[in-house]
Amino acid sequence: MANNFVEELKWRGMLHDAMPGTEEHLLSGMQSAYVGIDPTADSLHIGHLVSVMMLRHFQLAGHKPYALVGGATGMIGDPSGKSAERNLLNETTLRYNQEALKAQLTRFLDFDSDAENSAVLVNNYDWMKDFSFLDFIRDVGKHITVNYMMAKDSVKKRLSSEAKEGMSFTEFTYQLVQGYDFLYLYQNHNCTLQMGGSDQWGNITTGTELIRRISGGKGFALTCPLITKADGTKFGKTEGGNIWLDAHRTSPYKFYQYWLNTTDADAEKYIKIFTFLSKEEIETLVGEHQETPGLRLLQKKLAEEVTQMVHSKEDLEHAVQASSILFGRSTSEALRQLDEKTFMDVFEGVPQAEISKSELENGLDMIGALAAKTGFLASNGEARRELKQNSISVNKEKVKEDYLITTEDLINDKFVVLQKGKRNNFVLIFS
């Protein structure tokens, strides 16, 4: 065994609760564990990362990880932590999502090696699709009482909430279906441990109960804390929604920026959870950060590690380069290397004006670009003054009053970036 999995989770702040005997069970030899992943989208988001990191640590400790895509449970909807029932998916969408999720998981888990502990992807739809309702309530349902199910926090919260919808029978049965997953994996793959977020404790222990009652065996449960931010706002969310692992949904630049902008308190917590840096490396980094907090060493290292892990070294380099464009010593060449989506992400919130491309036929003069046609500067007089003082740039290069903007200046065939001094940016969009 490479290391003590439970100890690793403890120092990283990734252990919330574990059933008695779990640590001893894992130290007795190679074991198998699974984490359930919701397939309602074709990408994971950073809210999924904690459980994926748990699976990776599990594999690094010499154990065998199973990633369970909840095709069947995705058709029902888990009431844990939810205030309303969610939309249900058809099989075609679920299968497509499953393949997309597996592609992302291969960045973390070794599925392809000949090692005894190589990772396995399973989908509970495969064993639930032919299970008739009558068979299920006879073979599974009779072993768990309604009293037992009603005592679960996820059920109690929904029933006692003020939501008018209440809780459907479909959602009420969710814990039985998830519990059966654990029983199935225990019986067919010798899977003895289920892991998940702390809100899953009730569902996981229903599985251990089914293993005890139907198979006379012993299943174990282990949960990680739900990740929070120091200011109380939700981790992994921005005004634009989730931070996705898919580069088309969340660009590597925006992904990098999310981690870069964490607070000192959050960065110190997240660097343990979302990187594979050793305890010694992290302690050194935290010490250096505390000596010179203004350098934001923790945030930079966190953003670098997670972006490279989820995307690639090249994507990280582009994100770092893009991050320096607004306020750093960037170049015209770096600006021109941005694809349109990253360009829009970098200059999100920067004032802009739309101008007809026909203005470029004879060249757009700088006074028009700065004031008359855009309103970037208050007046033609101010535009002339700033140009004389050499404080105006076009695409990061200083220009004089006689400069004409032409099609040669267009980035992605539509953008030109004006800058006054170091901090004032303005985007011209030509259409």
Side-chain angles (χ1 to χ4, degrees):
M1 210 53 50
N3 59 30
N4 182 327
F5 172 66
V6 174
E7 278 301 317
E8 183 77 14
L9 293 191
K10 275 181 187 170
W11 80 258
R12 288 186 181 274
M14 294 172 72
L15 183 68
H16 183 270
D17 210 350
M19 200 172 268
T22 302
E23 186 170 3
E24 294 75 8
H25 174 64
L26 294 176
L27 289 171
S28 66
M30 188 188 88
Q31 307 297 344
S32 297
Y34 84 96
V35 163
I37 295 169
D38 173 17
T40 48
D42 61 358
S43 172
L44 300 168
H45 52 73
I46 62 174
H48 292 110
L49 260 187
V50 190
S51 20
V52 174
M53 297 295 276
M54 282 170 76
L55 281 179
R56 178 63 183 148
H57 283 299
F58 192 70
Q59 191 170 38
L60 288 171
H63 300 295
K64 189 173 183 70
Y66 282 76
L68 182 144
V69 173
T73 33
M75 289 182 168
I76 298 173
D78 178 6
S80 304
K82 310 290 193 306
S83 56
E85 192 157 356
R86 69 183 176 198
N87 295 330
L88 311 182
L89 303 176
N90 59 41
E91 187 183 353
T92 308
T93 306
L94 285 165
R95 291 294 181 194
Y96 173 79
N97 291 355
Q98 175 185 331
E99 288 310 306
L101 297 181
K102 183 174 183 184
Q104 290 182 338
L105 288 168
T106 55
R107 292 197 65 82
F108 302 88
L109 301 171
D110 173 14
F111 285 94
D112 301 319
S113 77
D114 296 329
E116 198 182 355
N117 71 326
S118 61
V120 180
L121 186 83
V122 291
N123 187 334
N124 60 10
Y125 184 75
D126 294 332
W127 57 82
M128 290 303 298
K129 66 177 187 284
D130 298 322
F131 209 159
S132 77
F133 177 68
L134 290 176
D135 285 342
F136 187 78
I137 56 174
R138 183 194 63 197
D139 297 343
V140 180
K142 74 174 183 182
H143 294 281
I144 300 290
T145 67
V146 170
N147 309 53
Y148 179 87
M149 294 170 74
M150 294 280 283
K152 299 291 183 183
D153 283 345
S154 58
V155 175
K156 282 198 289 193
K157 280 178 188 165
R158 278 293 292 277
L159 290 178
S160 63
S161 74
E162 295 172 9
K164 292 176 186 173
E165 299 85 13
M167 183 182 195
S168 70
F169 173 73
T170 307
E171 287 184 295
F172 181 59
T173 58
Y174 183 95
Q175 62 171 288
L176 273 185
V177 180
Q178 185 173 328
Y180 179 73
D181 288 342
F182 198 175
L183 175 65
Y184 181 90
L185 291 173
Y186 175 84
Q187 291 174 332
N188 295 275
H189 295 275
N190 195 28
C191 196
T192 53
L193 172 65
Q194 184 183 165
M195 305 187 291
S198 57
D199 60 338
Q200 291 296 311
W201 184 260
N203 292 332
I204 296 173
T205 50
T206 298
T208 63
E209 194 64 11
L210 284 175
I211 289 169
R212 185 180 71 80
R213 295 185 183 191
I214 295 175
S215 279
K218 176 74 174 165
F220 294 89
L222 183 150
T223 59
C224 59
L226 296 181
I227 305 303
T228 55
K229 287 169 76 173
D231 63 4
T233 56
K234 192 163 184 183
F235 167 76
K237 294 272 190 183
T238 65
E239 287 177 15
N242 287 320
I243 303 294
W244 299 93
L245 272 52
D246 185 316
H248 299 293
R249 284 173 173 259
T250 300
S251 69
Y253 164 77
K254 268 201 163 173
F255 187 86
Y256 175 80
Q257 284 292 319
Y258 179 83
W259 300 99
L260 195 63
N261 290 321
T262 52
T263 63
D264 287 356
D266 286 335
E268 193 171 329
K269 180 167 75 169
Y270 296 166
I271 202 154
K272 295 175 188 169
I273 298 171
F274 297 109
T275 77
F276 292 103
L277 296 174
S278 69
K279 193 173 187 178
E280 293 73 24
E281 287 174 300
I282 290 172
E283 284 171 353
T284 302
L285 200 59
V286 168
E288 290 172 353
H289 177 85
Q290 287 169 350
E291 283 175 23
T292 52
L295 295 179
R296 296 177 69 76
L297 297 173
L298 263 183
Q299 285 89 339
K300 285 175 184 171
K301 187 63 173 173
L302 171 67
E304 285 168 12
E305 290 286 322
V306 186
T307 305
Q308 185 167 328
M309 176 175 66
V310 168
H311 295 289
S312 69
K313 193 169 192 294
E314 188 182 13
D315 285 329
L316 167 63
E317 286 165 1
H318 288 162
V320 172
Q321 206 172 42
S323 296
S324 70
I325 280 171
L326 272 187
F327 306 122
R329 294 182 177 179
S330 191
T331 63
S332 174
E333 187 187 351
L335 201 55
R336 289 180 180 280
Q337 285 176 357
L338 299 179
D339 60 76
E340 186 172 336
K341 182 168 184 357
T342 307
F343 183 95
M344 295 301 287
D345 285 343
V346 170
F347 289 96
E348 186 178 26
V350 170
Q352 40 187 247
E354 286 200 32
I355 299 181
S356 169
K357 256 189 187 171
S358 61
E359 297 276 357
L360 299 177
E361 286 172 12
N362 300 312
L364 174 62
D365 68 279
M366 288 311 299
I367 303 301
L370 289 168
K373 294 184 183 295
T374 66
F376 173 29
L377 301 184
S379 66
N380 291 353
E382 186 188 349
R384 286 193 181 90
R385 268 195 317 278
E386 295 293 346
L387 285 160
K388 278 194 175 74
Q389 289 169 11
N390 202 32
S391 60
I392 299 297
S393 301
V394 171
N395 295 340
K396 294 286 179 180
E397 292 182 350
K398 296 284 187 186
V399 296
K400 300 289 187 186
E401 190 175 338
D402 60 355
Y403 190 84
L404 292 176
I405 296 173
T406 68
T407 52
E408 294 289 308
D409 294 301
L410 294 181
I411 295 164
N412 290 309
D413 200 35
K414 67 192 293 190
F415 304 115
V416 169
V417 177
L418 303 178
Q419 199 170 14
K420 183 186 87 167
K422 288 182 178 176
R423 295 266 161 186
N424 294 308
N425 292 279
F426 195 91
V427 178
L428 304 182
I429 304 174
F430 292 88
S431 53

